[in-house]
Amino acid sequence: QVQLVESGGGLVQPGGSLRLSCAASGSIFSINVMGWYRQAPGKQRELVAEITAGGSPNYADSVKGRFTIFRDNAKNTVYLQMNSLKPEDTAVYLCHADGVRTEIGRMAYWGKGTLVTVSS
């Protein structure tokens, strides 16, 4: 059974920084894409950033220049460094892993989410 466990959320003032981590556990052979989505109250879930196994990132326009995604393939872990945080970044951040190859094939998985609150 594959599980994604996020950590690193919390309360931060505008202009501050946070680093989120997501570790995938289980009998995993490889993971194609790992990424972060977020969902604010009353809004749809949206992609924040994702990164391929080869290290190619993709960012939402709203976070370009402020957030950086990187991963450690040996640890099946993805990170999201968030700088210059704004109140509109407040949301539950969910980890997503796509193309997770195990003995039973390829599947996608979601973490349970970690809350990021940006407020003074």
Side-chain angles (χ1 to χ4, degrees):
Q1 182 73 9
V2 174
Q3 288 188 323
L4 303 182
V5 179
E6 302 104 331
S7 61
L11 173 65
V12 64
Q13 291 187 341
S17 298
L18 280 176
R19 178 177 291 189
L20 306 182
S21 301
C22 170
S25 63
S27 299
I28 298 171
F29 297 151
S30 62
I31 302 175
N32 185 18
V33 179
M34 299 188 78
W36 293 93
Y37 286 71
R38 67 187 180 188
Q39 188 161 19
K43 294 188 177 182
Q44 289 189 335
R45 187 174 296 184
E46 62 175 359
L47 173 68
V48 177
E50 60 186 1
I51 185 168
T52 67
S56 295
N58 177 43
Y59 297 96
D61 288 341
S62 59
V63 307
K64 283 181 181 177
R66 300 188 297 123
F67 291 10
T68 302
I69 188 169
F70 55 102
R71 64 189 279 181
D72 184 334
N73 290 334
K75 296 181 179 179
N76 290 325
T77 299
V78 64
Y79 306 89
L80 185 68
Q81 177 65 42
M82 305 186 294
N83 299 329
S84 302
L85 282 161
K86 304 175 181 179
E88 51 263 43
D89 294 318
T90 295
V92 174
Y93 284 70
L94 302 108
C95 181
H96 182 252
D98 200 4
V100 180
R101 192 163 69 91
T102 66
E103 290 182 343
I104 62 173
R106 290 182 185 272
M107 293 182 66
Y109 296 88
W110 288 94
K112 292 183 178 180
T114 184
L115 178 62
V116 172
T117 303
V118 185
S119 176
S120 55

